Structure formats: structure tokens, C-alpha cells
Amino acid sequence: VKKQYRNRGLGAQLLLLLEHKIKTDLKPENPQIKNKIIVGAQVQAEAFYKKQGFAPYGEIYDDEGVRHIKMYKYI
């Protein structure tokens, strides 16, 4: 989310819409199987993703000069 539009809940709403889309489009044949969402989050946004239920894993890595961390969430 661009800086001028942050702190309005737009990022959280976008993630919820994407999760809904994934749940709708990728229904597993076995309902006990969960889908796993993986994101490459900027380290400075890690707390935001944690609030949305994501957990970090792996090492911090560089993506075009910006520090990132992989994060996942089961839905």
C-alpha cells in the first residue's frame, strides 16, 4: 500500500479478499487439507503480516536492496 494510503485498513482488507479468493478457487477435495499462503514481506512490514496471522520462516534476504522475510499462513 502506498505510503499516503497506509493506516486505513486497506492492506488488511486486500489480504482478506485474497484469502477468500484462494479458499473459493482452491477448495481441496479433502476439507481437512489447508491451503498455505506464502509472501515475501519487507522486514519493515513484518509486524503488519503477523497481525494478519502470518508467521515468519527462513532467513532475511535482500530483494533489490530491501530486506525481506518469507512468511506463511494456513487458511
Side-chain angles (χ1 to χ4, degrees), residues 51-67:
K51 276 184 175 178
Q52 310 312 314
F54 285 81
Y57 74 93
E59 300 293 322
I60 292 174
Y61 63 95
D62 180 81
D63 185 357
E64 297 193 21
V66 180
R67 295 174 50 194

Side-chain angles (χ1 to χ4, degrees), residues 29-49:
E29 291 179 22
N30 179 347
Q32 293 183 350
I33 296 173
K34 297 197 178 258
N35 290 311
K36 182 178 181 181
I37 300 172
I38 299 172
V39 298
Q42 291 183 7
V43 170
Q44 58 92 16
E46 185 176 353
F48 164 78
Y49 283 99

